Amino acid sequence: AALAELSKERNQANAAAEKTASELARLRSEQTSELYDQAMSLFLRGEVAEAVAILDEEKLRRSIEAARKSKEQAEKAISQAIENFLLKARILTMRFRFDEAERTYQAAVEGEPESFAAHFAFAQFSQQLNRYQSAAGEYERCLELAQRSGQRADVAMVLKNLGVLHFDQNHLEEAERDFEEALKIYRQFAKKDADTHSPGVASTLKNLGDLHRAQNRANKARQEHEEALKIYRRLAKTSPDTYLPDVAAVLSSLGILYSSQNQLAEGR
């Protein structure tokens, strides 16, 4: 029985060694480091102990830390380059040089296809100019990137903007779906960090209120506007310059809603 067990272990070890050798053979030289090449050279000359020794664990750990630091520096440099692109595009937009701005946004997303910031800025630019197809495509890419990275707050932000995009095109069912999903995410985050995420809850509620008013669902619209107004009034107590315009916007929407229901005194 012991011999049979040893034989089984030997066969497993042989199979593992053969598989490892096969994997090593498939590696191309450009995938490996100088240290790797030195160790492999020793191994192929039969100097196994030397090959293992040169692959010192502490040295390997330090190399990982150096690579991680280098990666962080590279990511920071890429992020800064993207921000420079976006600044140029925004300046061109403010000067009404829209074609040049669009080319700059395109250069940004082509330069770093994985940049959420670049795609989101390009989507907003396209949406502002009613270039719906381009905006939708960029927002969908943003959703993909945000979901892949697990950034749920970014998912909510994109969904809210997609909802506005669909609303502007009178695609009310799609807009409602986007707003409802965004609101659900914002509410979850607001339970843990109200200061950061309450504005997202309020703005999405206002969007839903406007949508339901357009669908003649007055009671639902009023509830959503009133909840949004309550949140914005609270925020405006500490940051009036930021949130008083939002208070005014919701009051205006409520006034329109009351007027449409022939409640003129409330509307006034």
Side-chain angles (χ1 to χ4, degrees):
L3 285 170
E5 185 62 27
L6 286 171
S7 178
K8 179 181 177 182
E9 291 177 1
R10 180 201 63 194
N11 292 338
Q12 290 174 333
N14 283 337
E18 289 174 6
K19 183 177 180 182
T20 302
S22 176
E23 291 171 350
L24 287 173
R26 284 199 298 270
L27 279 173
R28 299 187 298 276
S29 59
E30 63 266 23
Q31 294 175 302
T32 60
S33 67
E34 182 179 349
L35 179 63
Y36 180 101
D37 293 340
Q38 290 173 357
M40 177 61 84
S41 179
L42 289 168
F43 172 72
L44 293 175
R45 292 202 303 268
E47 300 175 36
V48 177
E50 291 81 353
V52 172
I54 200 175
L55 294 169
D56 176 68
E57 287 188 19
E58 182 57 34
K59 187 186 294 184
L60 297 181
R61 275 194 289 269
R62 288 198 300 269
S63 69
I64 289 174
E65 288 301 319
R68 184 176 290 119
K69 186 174 181 180
S70 176
K71 180 182 178 183
E72 290 172 356
Q73 291 172 340
E75 289 175 348
K76 182 178 179 181
I78 291 171
S79 177
Q80 289 173 341
I82 291 298
E83 287 302 322
N84 292 339
F85 266 112
L86 301 184
L87 175 60
K88 179 181 178 181
R90 286 162 180 151
I91 291 172
L92 289 168
T93 300
M94 288 187 290
R95 301 300 296 171
F96 304 103
R97 294 160 65 178
F98 299 128
D99 290 342
E100 293 174 76
E102 182 175 25
R103 286 195 295 271
T104 303
Y105 280 119
Q106 288 173 336
V109 299
E110 288 168 6
E112 182 45 63
E114 300 297 303
S115 171
F116 176 89
H119 286 285
F120 191 77
F122 191 18
Q124 287 183 306
F125 167 81
S126 300
Q127 184 173 12
Q128 288 161 2
L129 296 181
N130 295 330
R131 298 175 181 176
Y132 297 126
Q133 187 173 356
S134 174
E138 291 300 318
Y139 280 136
E140 291 297 339
R141 178 64 172 147
C142 287
L143 267 184
E144 178 187 339
L145 292 170
Q147 288 167 342
R148 190 197 308 163
S149 64
Q151 297 296 321
R152 295 285 291 162
D154 286 343
V155 170
M157 181 171 64
V158 175
L159 285 168
K160 185 179 71 170
N161 282 29
L162 262 176
V164 174
L165 187 71
H166 287 137
F167 187 26
D168 289 343
Q169 297 175 87
N170 205 37
H171 300 164
L172 301 187
E173 289 184 7
E174 293 93 329
E176 184 174 26
R177 178 198 63 208
D178 294 333
F179 288 145
E180 291 286 3
E181 190 174 349
L183 181 60
K184 181 179 178 181
I185 297 171
Y186 277 132
R187 286 196 191 280
Q188 290 171 347
F189 277 105
K191 288 178 182 178
K192 301 176 182 177
D193 187 354
D195 290 342
T196 301
H197 298 288
S198 287
V201 173
S203 62
T204 310
L205 281 166
K206 181 189 179 301
N207 289 333
L208 271 170
D210 291 338
L211 171 69
H212 290 141
R213 187 189 72 222
Q215 293 176 321
N216 294 319
R217 296 160 70 180
N219 288 336
K220 195 167 183 61
R222 183 169 57 254
Q223 291 170 4
E224 289 155 348
H225 282 318
E226 287 176 349
E227 185 180 354
L229 182 60
K230 182 178 179 181
I231 295 171
Y232 278 136
R233 284 196 191 281
R234 187 183 75 242
L235 293 168
K237 288 180 180 179
T238 53
S239 301
D241 290 346
T242 301
Y243 294 111
L244 274 179
D246 295 308
V247 172
V250 179
L251 285 167
S252 178
S253 290
L254 267 172
I256 294 170
L257 176 65
Y258 282 126
S259 298
S260 69
Q261 297 296 302
N262 206 33
Q263 296 175 259
L264 303 184
E266 293 90 337
R268 183 169 59 252

